[in-house]
Amino acid sequence: MGTLRRDEVRAELKLSPEQIEKLEALGEKTTEQSRELFAGMRDASPEEREQLMENVRTAGKKIREAAEAEVKTILTDEQIERLQQIEW
């Protein structure tokens, strides 16, 4: 998702204003979900932090997978292919 926030990548992919709007909304949603995962981390004991970090890893993976799936509904097949080339 981070790559899609860069203006030069958006230009290269020739994203429409509608696609940009959807991607920005998705980015805000995933950022908020990630913030929620870390809630309470500061005040947790070392043992609690260890468990919280395990939960963060598991939930974070699910958030990334869901975001990647949603990106595929926003971009065209050609844009997805070019994005993968850029990311490599």
Coordinates of all heavy atoms in Angstrom, one line a residue:
M1 N 0.8 -1.2 0.0 CA 0.0 0.0 0.0 C 0.9 1.3 0.0 O 0.5 2.2 -0.6 CB -0.9 0.0 1.2 CG -2.2 -0.8 1.2 SD -3.4 -0.2 0.1 CE -3.7 1.5 0.7
G2 N 2.0 1.2 0.7 CA 2.8 2.4 0.8 C 3.2 2.9 -0.6 O 3.3 4.2 -0.8
T3 N 3.5 2.1 -1.5 CA 4.0 2.4 -2.8 C 2.9 3.3 -3.5 O 3.2 4.2 -4.2 CB 4.3 1.2 -3.7 OG1 5.3 0.4 -2.9 CG2 4.9 1.5 -5.0
L4 N 1.7 2.9 -3.3 CA 0.6 3.6 -4.0 C 0.3 5.0 -3.4 O -0.5 5.8 -4.0 CB -0.7 2.8 -3.8 CG -0.8 1.5 -4.7 CD1 -1.9 0.6 -4.3 CD2 -0.9 1.9 -6.2
R5 N 1.0 5.4 -2.4 CA 0.8 6.7 -1.8 C 1.8 7.7 -2.5 O 1.6 8.9 -2.4 CB 1.1 6.7 -0.3 CG 0.1 6.0 0.5 CD 0.3 6.2 1.9 NE -0.9 5.6 2.6 CZ -0.8 4.8 3.7 NH1 0.4 4.5 4.2 NH2 -1.8 4.3 4.3
R6 N 2.7 7.2 -3.3 CA 3.7 8.1 -3.9 C 3.1 8.7 -5.2 O 2.6 7.9 -6.1 CB 5.0 7.3 -4.2 CG 5.6 6.8 -2.9 CD 6.8 5.9 -3.1 NE 7.8 6.5 -4.1 CZ 8.7 5.7 -4.7 NH1 8.7 4.4 -4.4 NH2 9.5 6.3 -5.6
D7 N 3.3 10.0 -5.4 CA 2.7 10.6 -6.6 C 3.3 10.1 -7.9 O 2.5 9.9 -8.9 CB 3.0 12.2 -6.5 CG 2.1 12.8 -5.4 OD1 1.0 12.3 -5.1 OD2 2.6 13.9 -4.9
E8 N 4.6 9.8 -7.9 CA 5.2 9.3 -9.2 C 4.6 7.9 -9.5 O 4.5 7.6 -10.7 CB 6.7 9.3 -9.1 CG 7.3 8.5 -8.0 CD 7.5 9.3 -6.7 OE1 6.9 10.3 -6.5 OE2 8.3 8.7 -5.8
V9 N 4.3 7.1 -8.6 CA 3.7 5.8 -8.8 C 2.3 6.0 -9.3 O 1.9 5.3 -10.3 CB 3.8 4.9 -7.6 CG1 3.0 3.6 -7.8 CG2 5.2 4.6 -7.2
R10 N 1.5 6.9 -8.7 CA 0.2 7.1 -9.2 C 0.2 7.6 -10.6 O -0.7 7.2 -11.4 CB -0.5 8.1 -8.2 CG -0.8 7.6 -6.9 CD -1.4 8.7 -6.0 NE -1.7 8.1 -4.7 CZ -2.4 8.7 -3.8 NH1 -2.9 9.9 -4.0 NH2 -2.7 8.1 -2.6
A11 N 1.1 8.5 -10.9 CA 1.2 9.0 -12.3 C 1.6 7.9 -13.3 O 1.0 7.8 -14.3 CB 2.2 10.1 -12.4
E12 N 2.5 7.1 -12.9 CA 3.0 5.9 -13.7 C 1.8 5.0 -14.0 O 1.7 4.5 -15.1 CB 4.1 5.2 -13.1 CG 4.6 3.9 -13.7 CD 5.3 4.2 -15.1 OE1 5.8 5.3 -15.3 OE2 5.3 3.3 -15.9
L13 N 1.0 4.7 -13.0 CA -0.1 3.8 -13.1 C -1.3 4.5 -13.8 O -2.3 3.8 -14.1 CB -0.6 3.3 -11.8 CG 0.5 2.4 -11.1 CD1 -0.1 2.0 -9.7 CD2 0.8 1.2 -11.9
K14 N -1.3 5.8 -14.0 CA -2.4 6.6 -14.6 C -3.7 6.3 -13.8 O -4.7 6.0 -14.4 CB -2.5 6.2 -16.1 CG -1.3 6.6 -16.9 CD -1.5 6.2 -18.3 CE -0.3 6.6 -19.2 NZ 0.8 5.7 -19.1
L15 N -3.6 6.5 -12.5 CA -4.8 6.3 -11.7 C -5.8 7.4 -11.9 O -5.4 8.6 -12.1 CB -4.4 6.3 -10.2 CG -3.5 5.2 -9.7 CD1 -3.2 5.3 -8.2 CD2 -4.0 3.8 -10.0
S16 N -7.0 7.1 -11.9 CA -8.1 8.0 -12.0 C -8.4 8.7 -10.7 O -8.0 8.1 -9.6 CB -9.4 7.4 -12.5 OG -9.9 6.5 -11.5
P17 N -9.0 9.9 -10.7 CA -9.3 10.5 -9.4 C -10.2 9.6 -8.5 O -10.0 9.6 -7.3 CB -10.1 11.8 -9.8 CG -9.6 12.1 -11.2 CD -9.3 10.8 -11.8
E18 N -11.1 8.8 -9.1 CA -11.9 7.9 -8.3 C -11.0 6.8 -7.7 O -11.2 6.5 -6.5 CB -12.9 7.3 -9.2 CG -13.9 6.3 -8.5 CD -14.9 5.7 -9.4 OE1 -15.1 6.1 -10.6 OE2 -15.5 4.7 -9.0
Q19 N -10.1 6.3 -8.4 CA -9.2 5.2 -7.9 C -8.4 5.8 -6.8 O -8.2 5.2 -5.7 CB -8.2 4.7 -9.0 CG -8.9 3.8 -10.0 CD -8.0 3.4 -11.1 OE1 -7.3 4.2 -11.7 NE2 -7.9 2.1 -11.3
I20 N -7.9 7.0 -6.9 CA -7.0 7.7 -5.9 C -7.9 7.9 -4.6 O -7.4 7.6 -3.5 CB -6.5 9.0 -6.4 CG1 -5.4 8.8 -7.5 CG2 -5.9 9.8 -5.2 CD1 -4.9 10.0 -8.2
E21 N -9.1 8.3 -4.8 CA -10.0 8.5 -3.6 C -10.2 7.2 -2.9 O -10.2 7.1 -1.7 CB -11.3 9.1 -4.1 CG -12.3 9.4 -3.0 CD -13.6 10.0 -3.6 OE1 -13.5 10.9 -4.5 OE2 -14.7 9.7 -3.1
K22 N -10.5 6.1 -3.6 CA -10.7 4.8 -3.0 C -9.5 4.3 -2.3 O -9.5 3.7 -1.2 CB -11.2 3.8 -4.1 CG -12.6 4.0 -4.5 CD -13.0 3.0 -5.6 CE -14.4 3.2 -6.1 NZ -14.7 2.2 -7.1
L23 N -8.3 4.5 -2.9 CA -7.0 4.1 -2.3 C -6.7 4.9 -1.1 O -6.2 4.3 -0.1 CB -5.9 4.2 -3.3 CG -6.0 3.1 -4.5 CD1 -5.0 3.5 -5.6 CD2 -5.7 1.7 -4.0
E24 N -7.0 6.2 -1.1 CA -6.8 7.0 0.1 C -7.7 6.6 1.2 O -7.2 6.5 2.4 CB -6.9 8.5 -0.2 CG -5.8 9.0 -1.1 CD -5.9 10.4 -1.5 OE1 -7.0 11.0 -1.3 OE2 -4.9 11.0 -2.1
A25 N -8.9 6.3 0.9 CA -9.9 5.8 2.0 C -9.4 4.5 2.5 O -9.4 4.2 3.7 CB -11.3 5.7 1.4
L26 N -8.9 3.6 1.7 CA -8.4 2.3 2.1 C -7.2 2.5 3.0 O -7.0 1.8 4.0 CB -8.1 1.4 0.9 CG -7.4 0.1 1.2 CD1 -8.3 -0.8 2.1 CD2 -7.1 -0.7 -0.1
G27 N -6.3 3.4 2.6 CA -5.1 3.7 3.4 C -5.5 4.2 4.8 O -4.9 3.8 5.8
E28 N -6.4 5.1 4.9 CA -6.9 5.6 6.2 C -7.5 4.5 7.0 O -7.2 4.4 8.2 CB -7.9 6.7 5.9 CG -7.3 8.0 5.4 CD -8.4 9.0 5.0 OE1 -9.5 8.9 5.5 OE2 -8.0 10.0 4.3
K29 N -8.3 3.7 6.4 CA -8.9 2.5 7.1 C -7.8 1.6 7.7 O -7.9 1.2 8.9 CB -9.8 1.8 6.2 CG -10.4 0.6 6.7 CD -11.3 -0.1 5.6 CE -11.4 -1.6 5.8 NZ -12.2 -2.2 4.7
T30 N -6.8 1.2 6.9 CA -5.8 0.3 7.4 C -4.9 0.9 8.4 O -4.5 0.3 9.3 CB -5.0 -0.3 6.2 OG1 -4.4 0.8 5.5 CG2 -5.8 -1.1 5.3
T31 N -4.7 2.2 8.3 CA -3.9 3.0 9.3 C -4.6 3.0 10.6 O -4.0 2.7 11.6 CB -3.6 4.4 8.8 OG1 -2.8 4.3 7.6 CG2 -2.8 5.2 9.9
E32 N -5.9 3.2 10.6 CA -6.7 3.2 11.8 C -6.7 1.8 12.4 O -6.6 1.7 13.6 CB -8.1 3.7 11.5 CG -8.9 3.9 12.8 CD -8.4 4.8 13.9 OE1 -7.7 5.8 13.5 OE2 -8.5 4.5 15.1
Q33 N -6.9 0.8 11.6 CA -6.9 -0.5 12.1 C -5.5 -0.9 12.8 O -5.5 -1.5 13.8 CB -7.2 -1.5 11.0 CG -8.6 -1.5 10.5 CD -8.8 -2.3 9.3 OE1 -7.9 -2.5 8.5 NE2 -10.0 -2.8 9.1
S34 N -4.5 -0.4 12.2 CA -3.1 -0.7 12.7 C -2.9 0.0 14.0 O -2.4 -0.5 15.0 CB -2.1 -0.3 11.7 OG -2.2 -1.1 10.5
R35 N -3.4 1.2 14.1 CA -3.3 2.0 15.4 C -4.0 1.3 16.5 O -3.5 1.2 17.6 CB -3.9 3.4 15.2 CG -2.9 4.4 14.6 CD -3.5 5.8 14.7 NE -2.7 6.6 13.8 CZ -3.3 7.4 12.9 NH1 -4.6 7.5 12.7 NH2 -2.5 8.1 12.1
E36 N -5.2 0.8 16.2 CA -6.0 0.1 17.2 C -5.3 -1.2 17.7 O -5.4 -1.5 18.9 CB -7.4 -0.3 16.6 CG -8.3 0.9 16.4 CD -9.6 0.5 15.6 OE1 -9.8 -0.6 15.4 OE2 -10.3 1.5 15.3
L37 N -4.5 -1.8 16.9 CA -3.8 -3.0 17.3 C -2.8 -2.7 18.4 O -2.5 -3.5 19.3 CB -3.0 -3.6 16.1 CG -3.8 -4.3 15.0 CD1 -2.9 -4.8 13.9 CD2 -4.6 -5.4 15.6
F38 N -2.2 -1.5 18.4 CA -1.2 -1.1 19.3 C -1.7 -0.4 20.6 O -1.0 0.0 21.5 CB -0.1 -0.2 18.7 CG 0.8 -1.0 17.7 CD1 0.5 -1.0 16.4 CD2 1.9 -1.7 18.2 CE1 1.3 -1.7 15.5 CE2 2.7 -2.4 17.3 CZ 2.4 -2.4 16.0
A39 N -3.1 -0.2 20.6 CA -3.7 0.4 21.8 C -3.3 -0.4 23.1 O -3.4 -1.6 23.1 CB -5.2 0.5 21.6
G40 N -3.0 0.3 24.1 CA -2.7 -0.4 25.3 C -1.3 -1.0 25.5 O -0.9 -1.4 26.5
M41 N -0.5 -0.9 24.4 CA 0.9 -1.5 24.4 C 1.8 -0.7 25.4 O 2.5 -1.4 26.1 CB 1.5 -1.4 23.0 CG 2.8 -2.1 22.9 SD 2.7 -3.8 22.7 CE 2.0 -4.1 21.1
R42 N 1.6 0.6 25.5 CA 2.5 1.4 26.4 C 2.4 1.0 27.8 O 3.3 0.9 28.6 CB 2.2 2.9 26.2 CG 3.1 3.8 27.0 CD 2.8 5.2 26.8 NE 3.1 5.5 25.4 CZ 2.7 6.7 24.9 NH1 2.1 7.6 25.5 NH2 3.0 6.9 23.6
D43 N 1.1 0.7 28.2 CA 0.9 0.5 29.7 C 0.9 -1.0 30.0 O 0.7 -1.4 31.2 CB -0.5 1.0 30.0 CG -0.6 2.5 29.9 OD1 0.4 3.2 30.1 OD2 -1.7 3.0 29.5
A44 N 1.2 -1.9 29.1 CA 1.2 -3.3 29.3 C 2.6 -3.7 30.0 O 3.6 -3.1 29.8 CB 1.1 -4.0 28.0
S45 N 2.5 -4.8 30.7 CA 3.7 -5.4 31.3 C 4.4 -6.1 30.2 O 3.9 -6.3 29.1 CB 3.2 -6.4 32.4 OG 2.7 -7.6 31.8
P46 N 5.7 -6.5 30.5 CA 6.5 -7.2 29.5 C 5.8 -8.4 29.0 O 5.8 -8.7 27.8 CB 7.8 -7.5 30.2 CG 7.9 -6.4 31.2 CD 6.5 -6.1 31.6
E47 N 5.2 -9.2 29.9 CA 4.5 -10.4 29.5 C 3.3 -10.1 28.6 O 3.0 -10.8 27.6 CB 4.0 -11.2 30.7 CG 5.2 -11.7 31.5 CD 5.7 -10.7 32.5 OE1 5.1 -9.6 32.8 OE2 6.9 -10.9 33.0
E48 N 2.5 -9.1 29.0 CA 1.4 -8.6 28.2 C 1.8 -8.1 26.8 O 1.1 -8.4 25.8 CB 0.6 -7.6 28.9 CG -0.1 -8.0 30.2 CD -0.7 -6.9 31.0 OE1 -0.1 -5.8 31.1 OE2 -1.7 -7.1 31.6
R49 N 2.9 -7.4 26.8 CA 3.4 -6.9 25.5 C 3.7 -8.0 24.6 O 3.5 -7.9 23.4 CB 4.6 -6.0 25.7 CG 4.3 -4.6 26.0 CD 5.6 -3.7 25.9 NE 5.3 -2.6 26.7 CZ 6.0 -2.1 27.7 NH1 7.1 -2.7 28.0 NH2 5.6 -1.0 28.3
E50 N 4.3 -9.1 25.1 CA 4.7 -10.2 24.3 C 3.4 -10.8 23.6 O 3.4 -11.1 22.4 CB 5.4 -11.3 25.1 CG 6.0 -12.4 24.3 CD 6.8 -13.4 25.1 OE1 7.5 -12.9 26.0 OE2 6.7 -14.6 24.9
Q51 N 2.4 -11.0 24.4 CA 1.1 -11.5 23.9 C 0.5 -10.5 22.9 O 0.0 -10.9 21.8 CB 0.2 -11.8 25.0 CG -1.2 -12.4 24.5 CD -1.0 -13.7 23.7 OE1 -0.3 -14.6 24.1 NE2 -1.6 -13.7 22.5
L52 N 0.5 -9.2 23.2 CA 0.0 -8.2 22.3 C 0.7 -8.2 21.0 O 0.1 -8.0 20.0 CB 0.1 -6.8 23.0 CG -1.0 -6.5 24.1 CD1 -0.6 -5.2 24.8 CD2 -2.4 -6.5 23.6
M53 N 2.0 -8.3 21.0 CA 2.8 -8.3 19.8 C 2.5 -9.5 18.9 O 2.4 -9.4 17.7 CB 4.3 -8.3 20.1 CG 4.8 -6.9 20.5 SD 4.4 -5.6 19.3 CE 5.2 -6.1 17.8
E54 N 2.2 -10.7 19.5 CA 1.8 -11.8 18.8 C 0.4 -11.6 18.1 O 0.2 -11.9 16.9 CB 1.7 -13.1 19.7 CG 1.3 -14.3 18.9 CD 2.3 -14.7 17.8 OE1 3.6 -14.5 18.0 OE2 1.9 -15.2 16.8
N55 N -0.5 -10.9 18.9 CA -1.8 -10.6 18.3 C -1.6 -9.5 17.2 O -2.3 -9.6 16.2 CB -2.7 -10.0 19.4 CG -3.0 -11.0 20.4 OD1 -2.9 -12.2 20.3 ND2 -3.5 -10.5 21.6
V56 N -0.7 -8.6 17.3 CA -0.4 -7.6 16.3 C 0.1 -8.3 15.0 O -0.4 -7.9 13.9 CB 0.6 -6.5 16.8 CG1 1.2 -5.7 15.7 CG2 0.0 -5.6 17.9
R57 N 1.0 -9.2 15.2 CA 1.5 -9.9 14.0 C 0.4 -10.6 13.2 O 0.3 -10.5 12.0 CB 2.6 -10.8 14.4 CG 4.0 -10.2 14.6 CD 5.1 -11.2 14.8 NE 5.1 -11.8 16.1 CZ 5.6 -11.3 17.2 NH1 6.2 -10.2 17.2 NH2 5.5 -12.0 18.4
T58 N -0.4 -11.3 14.0 CA -1.5 -12.1 13.4 C -2.5 -11.2 12.7 O -2.9 -11.4 11.5 CB -2.2 -13.0 14.4 OG1 -1.2 -13.9 15.0 CG2 -3.3 -13.8 13.8
A59 N -3.0 -10.2 13.5 CA -4.0 -9.3 13.0 C -3.4 -8.4 11.8 O -4.1 -8.1 10.9 CB -4.6 -8.4 14.1
G60 N -2.2 -8.0 12.0 CA -1.5 -7.2 11.0 C -1.5 -7.9 9.6 O -1.7 -7.3 8.6
K61 N -1.2 -9.2 9.7 CA -1.1 -10.0 8.4 C -2.5 -10.0 7.8 O -2.6 -9.8 6.6 CB -0.7 -11.4 8.7 CG -0.6 -12.3 7.5 CD -0.1 -13.6 7.9 CE 0.0 -14.5 6.6 NZ 0.3 -15.9 6.9
K62 N -3.6 -10.2 8.6 CA -4.9 -10.2 8.0 C -5.3 -8.8 7.5 O -6.0 -8.8 6.4 CB -5.9 -10.6 9.1 CG -5.8 -12.0 9.5 CD -6.8 -12.4 10.6 CE -6.6 -13.8 11.1 NZ -7.5 -14.2 12.2
I63 N -4.9 -7.8 8.1 CA -5.2 -6.4 7.6 C -4.5 -6.2 6.3 O -5.1 -5.7 5.3 CB -4.8 -5.3 8.6 CG1 -5.7 -5.4 9.9 CG2 -4.7 -3.9 8.0 CD1 -5.2 -4.5 11.0
R64 N -3.2 -6.6 6.2 CA -2.5 -6.4 4.9 C -3.1 -7.3 3.8 O -3.3 -6.8 2.7 CB -1.0 -6.9 5.1 CG -0.1 -5.8 5.7 CD 1.3 -6.2 5.6 NE 1.6 -7.5 6.2 CZ 1.7 -7.7 7.5 NH1 1.5 -6.8 8.4 NH2 2.0 -9.0 7.9
E65 N -3.5 -8.5 4.1 CA -4.1 -9.4 3.1 C -5.4 -8.8 2.6 O -5.7 -8.8 1.4 CB -4.3 -10.8 3.6 CG -3.0 -11.5 3.8 CD -3.1 -12.8 4.5 OE1 -4.2 -13.1 5.1 OE2 -2.1 -13.6 4.6
A66 N -6.2 -8.3 3.5 CA -7.5 -7.7 3.1 C -7.3 -6.4 2.3 O -8.0 -6.2 1.3 CB -8.3 -7.3 4.4
A67 N -6.3 -5.6 2.7 CA -6.0 -4.4 1.9 C -5.5 -4.7 0.5 O -6.0 -4.1 -0.5 CB -5.0 -3.5 2.6
E68 N -4.7 -5.7 0.4 CA -4.2 -6.2 -0.9 C -5.3 -6.7 -1.8 O -5.4 -6.4 -3.0 CB -3.1 -7.2 -0.8 CG -1.8 -6.7 -0.2 CD -0.8 -7.8 0.2 OE1 -1.1 -9.0 -0.1 OE2 0.3 -7.4 0.7
A69 N -6.2 -7.4 -1.2 CA -7.4 -7.9 -2.0 C -8.3 -6.7 -2.4 O -8.7 -6.7 -3.6 CB -8.2 -8.9 -1.1
E70 N -8.4 -5.7 -1.6 CA -9.2 -4.6 -2.0 C -8.6 -3.8 -3.0 O -9.2 -3.2 -4.0 CB -9.6 -3.7 -0.7 CG -10.6 -2.7 -1.0 CD -11.3 -2.1 0.2 OE1 -11.1 -2.6 1.3 OE2 -11.9 -1.0 0.0
V71 N -7.2 -3.6 -3.0 CA -6.5 -2.9 -4.0 C -6.8 -3.6 -5.4 O -6.9 -2.9 -6.4 CB -5.0 -2.9 -3.7 CG1 -4.2 -2.5 -4.9 CG2 -4.7 -1.9 -2.6
K72 N -6.8 -4.9 -5.4 CA -7.1 -5.6 -6.6 C -8.5 -5.3 -7.2 O -8.7 -5.5 -8.4 CB -6.8 -7.1 -6.5 CG -5.4 -7.4 -6.2 CD -5.1 -8.9 -6.0 CE -3.6 -9.2 -5.8 NZ -3.4 -10.6 -5.5
T73 N -9.4 -4.9 -6.4 CA -10.7 -4.5 -6.9 C -10.7 -3.1 -7.4 O -11.7 -2.7 -8.1 CB -11.8 -4.7 -5.8 OG1 -11.6 -3.7 -4.8 CG2 -11.8 -6.1 -5.3
I74 N -9.8 -2.3 -7.0 CA -9.7 -0.9 -7.4 C -8.9 -0.7 -8.7 O -9.3 0.1 -9.5 CB -9.1 0.0 -6.2 CG1 -10.0 -0.1 -5.0 CG2 -8.9 1.4 -6.7 CD1 -9.4 0.5 -3.7
L75 N -7.8 -1.4 -8.8 CA -6.9 -1.2 -9.9 C -7.3 -2.2 -11.1 O -7.9 -3.2 -10.8 CB -5.5 -1.5 -9.6 CG -4.8 -0.7 -8.4 CD1 -3.4 -1.1 -8.2 CD2 -4.9 0.8 -8.8
T76 N -6.9 -1.8 -12.3 CA -7.1 -2.7 -13.4 C -6.0 -3.8 -13.4 O -5.0 -3.6 -12.7 CB -7.1 -1.9 -14.7 OG1 -5.7 -1.4 -14.9 CG2 -8.0 -0.8 -14.8
D77 N -6.2 -4.8 -14.2 CA -5.2 -5.9 -14.3 C -3.9 -5.3 -14.7 O -2.8 -5.7 -14.2 CB -5.6 -7.0 -15.2 CG -6.8 -7.8 -14.7 OD1 -7.0 -7.8 -13.4 OD2 -7.5 -8.5 -15.5
E78 N -3.9 -4.4 -15.7 CA -2.7 -3.8 -16.2 C -2.0 -2.9 -15.1 O -0.7 -3.0 -15.0 CB -3.0 -2.9 -17.4 CG -3.4 -3.7 -18.6 CD -4.9 -4.0 -18.6 OE1 -5.7 -3.4 -17.8 OE2 -5.3 -4.9 -19.3
Q79 N -2.8 -2.2 -14.3 CA -2.2 -1.4 -13.3 C -1.6 -2.3 -12.2 O -0.5 -2.0 -11.6 CB -3.3 -0.5 -12.6 CG -3.7 0.6 -13.6 CD -4.9 1.4 -13.0 OE1 -5.8 0.8 -12.5 NE2 -4.9 2.7 -13.2
I80 N -2.2 -3.4 -11.9 CA -1.7 -4.4 -10.9 C -0.4 -4.9 -11.4 O 0.6 -5.0 -10.6 CB -2.7 -5.5 -10.6 CG1 -3.9 -4.9 -9.9 CG2 -2.1 -6.6 -9.8 CD1 -5.1 -5.9 -9.8
E81 N -0.3 -5.3 -12.6 CA 0.9 -5.9 -13.2 C 2.0 -4.8 -13.1 O 3.1 -5.2 -12.7 CB 0.7 -6.3 -14.6 CG 1.9 -6.9 -15.3 CD 1.6 -7.4 -16.7 OE1 0.4 -7.5 -17.1 OE2 2.6 -7.6 -17.4
R82 N 1.7 -3.6 -13.5 CA 2.8 -2.6 -13.5 C 3.2 -2.2 -12.0 O 4.4 -2.0 -11.8 CB 2.3 -1.3 -14.2 CG 3.3 -0.2 -14.2 CD 4.5 -0.6 -15.0 NE 5.5 0.5 -15.0 CZ 6.8 0.2 -14.7 NH1 7.2 -1.0 -14.4 NH2 7.6 1.2 -14.6
L83 N 2.3 -2.2 -11.1 CA 2.6 -2.0 -9.7 C 3.5 -3.1 -9.2 O 4.5 -2.8 -8.5 CB 1.3 -2.0 -8.9 CG 1.5 -1.8 -7.4 CD1 2.2 -0.5 -7.0 CD2 0.2 -1.9 -6.6
Q84 N 3.3 -4.3 -9.6 CA 4.2 -5.4 -9.1 C 5.6 -5.2 -9.7 O 6.6 -5.4 -9.0 CB 3.6 -6.7 -9.6 CG 2.4 -7.1 -8.8 CD 1.7 -8.4 -9.3 OE1 1.9 -8.8 -10.5 NE2 0.9 -9.0 -8.5
Q85 N 5.7 -4.7 -10.9 CA 7.0 -4.5 -11.5 C 7.7 -3.4 -10.8 O 8.9 -3.4 -10.5 CB 6.8 -4.1 -13.0 CG 6.3 -5.2 -13.9 CD 5.9 -4.7 -15.3 OE1 5.8 -3.6 -15.6 NE2 5.7 -5.7 -16.2
I86 N 7.0 -2.3 -10.4 CA 7.5 -1.2 -9.7 C 8.0 -1.7 -8.3 O 9.1 -1.3 -7.9 CB 6.5 0.0 -9.6 CG1 6.2 0.6 -10.9 CG2 7.0 1.0 -8.6 CD1 5.0 1.5 -11.0
E87 N 7.2 -2.5 -7.7 CA 7.6 -2.9 -6.3 C 8.8 -3.9 -6.3 O 9.5 -3.9 -5.4 CB 6.4 -3.6 -5.7 CG 5.3 -2.6 -5.3 CD 4.1 -3.2 -4.6 OE1 3.8 -4.4 -4.9 OE2 3.4 -2.5 -3.9
W88 N 9.0 -4.6 -7.4 CA 10.1 -5.5 -7.5 C 11.4 -4.7 -7.7 O 12.4 -4.9 -7.3 CB 10.0 -6.5 -8.7 CG 8.9 -7.5 -8.4 CD1 8.5 -8.0 -7.2 CD2 8.1 -8.2 -9.4 NE1 7.5 -8.9 -7.3 CE2 7.3 -9.1 -8.7 CE3 8.1 -8.2 -10.7 CZ2 6.4 -9.9 -9.3 CZ3 7.2 -9.0 -11.4 CH2 6.3 -9.9 -10.7

